[in-house]
Amino acid sequence: MINLVTSGLLALIGLALAVGGAWLIAVGGSFYYALAGLAFLFASFLAFTRKPVLLPFYGAFTLASLVWAVWEAGFDWWQLAPRGGLIIVVGLWLMTPVFRKTLVRTSQDEDGASENKAPVRSFVLEGSVVIAVIVAVYSMMNNPNAIEGTLPTSTVVENPQYGGSVPDRDWHHYGRTTYGQRYSPLDQINTDNVASLEQAWVYQTGDLKRESDVPETTYQVTPLKIGETLYLCTPHSWAIAIDAKTGQEKWKFDPGIPQNPDRQHQTCRGVTYYKDAATNETGPCTERVFLPTSDARLIALDAATGEICPSFGDEGTVHLETNMPYNPAGYYYSTSPPVAADGKIIIGGAVNDNYSTKSQSGVIRAYDINTGELIWNWDSGNPEQTEPIPDDQTYTANSPNSWSVSSADEALGMIYVPLGNKVPDQLGMNRDENVETYSSSIVALSLETGQVQWVRQTVHHDLWDMDVPAQPALLDITSPDGETVPALVGPTKQGDIYVLDRRTGEPIIPVTEVPAPGGAIPEDHTAPTQPVSDLTFMPEPLTGKDMWGITLFDQMACRIAFHLLKYEGRYTPPSLEGTLVYPGNFGTFNWGSVAVDPERQIMFGMPTYLAFTSRLIPRAEVPPRGSEKASEMGINRNEGAPYAVEMGPFLSPLGIPCQAPPWGYVAGADLRTGEIAYMHKNGTVEDMTPLPLPFELGVPGIGGPILTKGGVAFLGAAVDNYFRAYDATTGEKIWETRLPAGGQSTPMTYETDDGTQYVLIVAGGHGSIGTKPGDYVIAYKLAE
């Protein structure tokens, strides 16, 4: 019976590997899986016929598989485990006495009677398993994907420009100042004592994800801290003020956002604070909080009470749908806080990706921050006309939009805008000259007039949704020869970090044009070259060897899927058969941006690597619209275009990434030299699997980090529910704490009037990546 069961299992394994392996060979992949299938089938025959030669044969097969696995993956435990796990488990079973007894040899004694001898043994099999275990243990201690190094610790500039006049103890803008550095000059919490952080208080907003919400209902907010008050917003656009020391609520404003299943995002990344520095007046609305809403309003609130400021706009509200060429409800709104600079409140907006070619304009508008009067508008579809357009005109339909956060330099008189693409993202036919110029670029506009000062495109003829997703960080960089250059650091989805002279847009760290893949659909074309910065976290191109799985079976399935997809590296164009997009739509960097230290002139970021797939669907084959909710994954209908697109992460049949981990890192770079000092895995699969297994694979993240003068980098963002601190110099993890929900927001830090420094994060989860929802605002301080 034992032989029969063992033989049957070996036969099933062998049949699956042989059939799948033959398919893999047919599509141009590895021969190993088919050969392994034949080996299992032969082992099944030997087990069924009770042949002792089974053991040395299987031992030789185990050794051969080990050699193949190390040749493909090196001494990387997480790549070796799926290649060898099943083989070793079977080998261990074959080594057990209960099975070996079934292979007992018999012989005749002197009287001719048969006698049983001890169970057969095979030192080949036992030795092969021992060698495999030794390799596994060595691989567990190895970290082949890491870059080990340290960032410089010396201070380059003693009193750098942080951007504006924000007190060191406060956090007045999304990135602390209009420079977007995400850097705090506070150092009470530092690398020596951060391990003693403990929870100081927790506040729950009461705005929880609703059953009728769209999938991408997310807490991505970074609160502001002004004086002794924190200001934040929630996914359903509530504005809330809480006491910075105790977490007690001061006021709450609910604008009454209607539910809308066509809204692609239900989120709010932050509010904007303003006080006229030139006045000492007090009273209602002398300090304001500006709230962008998911139904396309910009509302001015009294910072002290949360009451609407009726002197702004239309009784306290600017209606962002004004002068739009189309206005279907739920298709346009602002998910990111506007910029308060030069007496203006400047705002862009998000459009629903890939819904319809009849999309709203990506216009950037500057309003008088006191009255709400429109001062200028910059529409990339009509870039020269920045004077406010007449009431009877509309902005250019479907021009590239800015859904992320802008930065501003009031001394230079410029605002730096990260721009996205024209809808549909994956179809480039019929784009005019303006779209080809401004799509997926960083644009510098005059704060006074809105006129273009310079443009730096990061992807030519973007067919991959490679929007510039992140707020540029501004700092002054001192070159090795002592020259100080006003710089801009712009992270991109494709992994390049652009370090530019923010006066002109010219590269400080070189940017090179390199050949790019061709082969677009007949109606479209590709750009012959694409720009690459010398400071880049661009991943190496994927190969069949990089495919992953829990077992040989799903790994083989991923390898088959990989070879069926069109893929020639980064910027492989969309196709009818399906294209592998890597980096994928989440991007290497996203809206969380990077943090920069203007004193040490270093950068800390959390690059993510997760491949996506996209497949163009001819209009005649697009299924009728059903009851699906808005989402950037699945079928994006592209109404009015000749093709829809189906896209999503490149996952195995078990729902895990097909590419091998790590999928997420923390990384540090020297902005003076452009050198990457270190890259270390970030995050565990504890919240990705049915069992809470805290294996540190390095997981995807969406959100961003901050840096402090204490030498600490703080971030949540990973798909496990943890808040972590890293030594910014070495990238070593030095503290972590469990969060009650997903921490897909960028943290912040501040100091209260009693001299206590706090670190704060909002934990509410992210609908698209499936982290646990919640409504928590949590502050930490050093243990007393």
Side-chain angles (χ1 to χ4, degrees):
M1 185 63 182
I2 290 175
N3 281 91
L4 188 60
V5 172
T6 301
S7 175
L9 288 174
L10 291 174
L12 289 174
I13 293 170
L15 187 63
L17 289 175
V19 172
W23 187 6
L24 180 57
I25 292 171
V27 296
S30 171
F31 280 65
Y32 170 79
Y33 298 85
L35 295 174
L38 294 177
F40 272 105
L41 288 172
F42 186 58
S44 171
F45 168 76
L46 294 176
F48 182 74
T49 56
R50 305 164 71 94
K51 301 290 186 182
V53 74
L54 167 64
L55 301 185
F57 168 77
Y58 195 85
F61 166 61
T62 299
L63 282 175
S65 296
L66 178 62
V67 170
W68 166 78
V70 172
W71 171 73
E72 277 214 326
F75 293 101
D76 182 342
W77 160 250
W78 291 110
Q79 290 234 49
L80 293 178
R83 287 170 167 84
L86 175 65
I87 294 170
I88 297 302
V89 168
V90 171
L92 290 171
W93 165 246
L94 298 181
M95 288 167 53
T96 61
V98 69
F99 177 78
R100 288 189 290 116
K101 283 181 180 179
T102 67
L103 304 176
V104 166
R105 296 188 181 92
T106 60
S107 62
Q108 290 184 335
D109 60 18
E110 295 178 355
D111 299 326
S114 297
E115 65 176 5
N116 290 331
K117 291 188 175 181
V120 296
R121 294 190 64 180
S122 170
F123 293 106
V124 175
L125 176 56
E126 293 166 2
S128 68
V129 171
V130 169
I131 292 171
V133 171
I134 292 171
V135 169
V137 171
Y138 173 74
S139 300
M140 288 178 185
M141 298 184 293
N142 197 28
N143 190 6
N145 302 292
I147 297 175
E148 301 291 349
T150 59
L151 287 169
T153 57
S154 58
T155 298
V156 180
V157 179
E158 289 289 347
N159 296 298
Q161 293 295 316
Y162 298 131
S165 56
V166 178
D168 290 356
R169 59 203 296 268
D170 282 359
W171 196 283
H172 281 202
H173 301 265
Y174 180 75
R176 202 183 87 82
T177 74
T178 57
Y179 276 19
Q181 295 170 348
R182 291 164 184 76
Y183 174 79
S184 171
L186 300 178
D187 61 2
Q188 181 184 110
I189 299 170
N190 54 56
T191 54
D192 293 330
N193 60 23
V194 67
S196 67
L197 279 181
E198 62 181 20
Q199 184 175 297
W201 53 259
V202 60
Y203 167 79
Q204 292 185 255
T205 68
D207 187 5
L208 293 165
K209 186 174 182 179
R210 305 165 188 170
E211 192 171 318
S212 57
D213 277 338
V214 297
E216 190 149 322
T217 297
T218 66
Y219 263 91
Q220 298 177 346
V221 60
T222 298
L224 309 182
K225 189 265 185 181
I226 295 92
E228 297 303 301
T229 304
L230 296 164
Y231 300 97
L232 66 146
C233 56
T234 70
H236 296 96
S237 303
W238 300 357
I240 301 174
I242 56 180
D243 186 279
K245 193 183 301 181
T246 66
Q248 294 296 308
E249 182 181 304
K250 292 187 174 182
W251 55 257
K252 180 185 292 183
F253 172 79
D254 179 359
I257 303 299
Q259 293 288 104
N260 192 322
D262 286 333
R263 194 174 293 136
Q264 201 165 51
H265 307 274
Q266 190 70 61
T267 193
C268 181
R269 297 189 183 96
V271 296
T272 303
Y273 169 79
Y274 169 73
K275 180 182 179 181
D276 187 352
T279 180
N280 292 320
E281 292 183 13
T282 60
C285 294
T286 54
E287 293 183 71
R288 295 182 178 187
V289 170
F290 290 90
L291 172 68
T293 70
S294 56
D295 62 349
R297 290 180 281 166
L298 178 62
I299 303 173
L301 304 173
D302 184 339
T305 65
E307 298 293 323
I308 291 177
C309 298
S311 60
F312 178 79
D314 177 16
E315 295 298 318
T317 298
V318 164
H319 300 278
L320 299 176
E321 72 276 12
T322 302
N323 295 107
M324 286 295 178
Y326 306 105
N327 190 33
Y331 277 47
Y332 180 84
Y333 37 87
S334 181
T335 57
S336 296
V339 173
D342 191 41
K344 304 174 183 69
I345 188 82
I346 305 168
I347 190 168
V351 300
N352 281 352
D353 270 347
N354 303 333
Y355 269 42
S356 170
T357 56
K358 292 184 176 181
S359 185
Q360 291 87 336
S361 175
V363 63
I364 311 298
R365 287 172 285 193
Y367 299 92
D368 184 292
I369 204 162
N370 292 303
T371 67
E373 177 187 359
L374 182 63
I375 297 176
W376 55 257
N377 39 230
W378 181 74
D379 176 1
S380 62
N382 184 21
E384 300 301 322
Q385 183 184 345
T386 61
E387 304 86 4
I389 65 172
D391 292 342
D392 60 350
Q393 289 187 16
T394 59
Y395 299 114
T396 307
N398 205 6
S399 53
N401 67 305
S402 180
W403 55 266
S404 189
V405 188
S406 298
S407 301
D409 183 338
E410 292 185 283
L412 287 178
M414 295 189 205
I415 182 170
Y416 304 94
V417 181
L419 276 185
N421 206 351
K422 176 182 178 177
V423 176
D425 290 310
Q426 287 77 19
L427 300 175
M429 63 280 282
N430 303 319
R431 292 180 183 173
D432 63 23
E433 181 181 353
N434 287 328
V435 174
E436 298 288 18
T437 298
Y438 294 109
S439 176
S440 302
S441 68
I442 302 170
V443 179
L445 304 177
S446 165
L447 278 171
E448 181 180 0
T449 66
Q451 288 287 333
V452 174
Q453 306 301 291
W454 55 259
V455 58
R456 170 63 56 175
Q457 191 168 62
T458 64
V459 183
H460 306 319
H461 195 66
D462 182 2
L463 302 175
W464 306 272
D465 190 24
M466 292 298 167
D467 304 344
V468 179
Q471 180 183 26
L474 313 182
L475 77 162
D476 296 340
I477 292 180
T478 305
S479 65
D481 62 8
E483 180 186 4
T484 299
V485 180
L488 174 150
V489 179
T492 63
K493 281 187 177 181
Q494 60 270 27
D496 294 318
I497 303 288
Y498 284 82
V499 183
L500 311 174
D501 185 326
R502 67 177 182 268
R503 297 167 299 188
T504 64
E506 291 302 308
I508 297 172
I509 292 176
V511 175
T512 307
E513 292 285 334
V514 300
I521 57 175
E523 305 96 314
D524 208 342
H525 69 277
T526 59
T529 65
Q530 292 288 356
V532 177
S533 171
D534 278 8
L535 175 51
T536 184
F537 292 87
M538 171 180 60
E540 292 293 321
L542 294 172
T543 67
K545 297 178 182 179
D546 297 311
M547 296 302 101
W548 198 61
I550 299 296
T551 67
L552 275 174
F553 306 113
D554 53 314
Q555 184 184 66
M556 179 177 63
C558 282
R559 292 180 89 138
I560 294 169
F562 173 79
H563 285 285
L564 290 173
L565 291 166
K566 182 177 180 180
Y567 181 64
E568 300 174 35
R570 192 168 75 154
Y571 302 127
T572 303
S575 62
L576 294 171
E577 63 265 37
T579 292
L580 187 66
V581 182
Y582 186 60
N585 296 54
F586 278 174
T588 307
F589 299 97
N590 208 293
W591 55 265
S593 194
V594 298
V596 300
D597 180 336
E599 300 183 28
R600 296 166 59 185
Q601 301 187 1
I602 60 172
M603 183 208 91
F604 183 90
M606 47 161 296
T608 289
Y609 300 99
L610 189 64
F612 270 58
T613 63
S614 70
R615 182 176 67 88
L616 299 178
I617 306 173
R619 178 57 52 196
E621 300 174 17
V622 179
R625 182 169 181 175
S627 58
E628 68 270 11
K629 293 184 180 180
S631 177
E632 291 180 308
M633 299 182 192
I635 293 179
N636 285 213
R637 302 187 63 82
N638 292 338
E639 300 291 356
Y643 298 93
V645 61
E646 183 176 21
M647 60 185 182
F650 183 34
L651 302 179
S652 79
L654 299 180
I656 61 174
C658 264
Q659 73 199 78
W663 307 300
Y665 293 85
V666 293
D670 186 338
L671 293 172
R672 301 179 72 200
T673 65
E675 295 296 320
I676 296 172
Y678 59 78
M679 286 182 67
H680 298 154
K681 291 184 291 187
N682 177 49
T684 71
V685 295
E686 181 171 346
D687 297 299
M688 294 177 67
T689 58
L691 297 175
L693 304 172
F695 296 143
E696 190 173 11
L697 270 70
V699 296
I702 189 163
I706 64 169
L707 280 170
T708 72
K709 190 170 184 174
V712 184
F714 289 98
L715 72 158
V719 295
D720 59 356
N721 300 333
Y722 281 94
F723 186 30
R724 296 183 171 95
Y726 286 87
D727 185 322
T729 300
T730 65
E732 176 189 0
K733 184 176 67 179
I734 49 181
W735 173 80
E736 70 178 7
T737 188
R738 188 82 171 142
L739 294 172
Q744 280 68 55
S745 64
T746 301
M748 50 86 74
T749 186
Y750 61 91
E751 183 181 275
T752 51
D753 58 8
D754 61 0
T756 301
Q757 183 182 353
Y758 295 81
V759 180
L760 181 146
I761 189 168
V762 174
H766 192 292
S768 290
I769 60 177
T771 51
K772 184 179 178 180
D775 64 339
Y776 301 91
V777 183
I778 309 173
Y780 302 87
K781 65 179 181 178
L782 296 174
E784 296 178 357

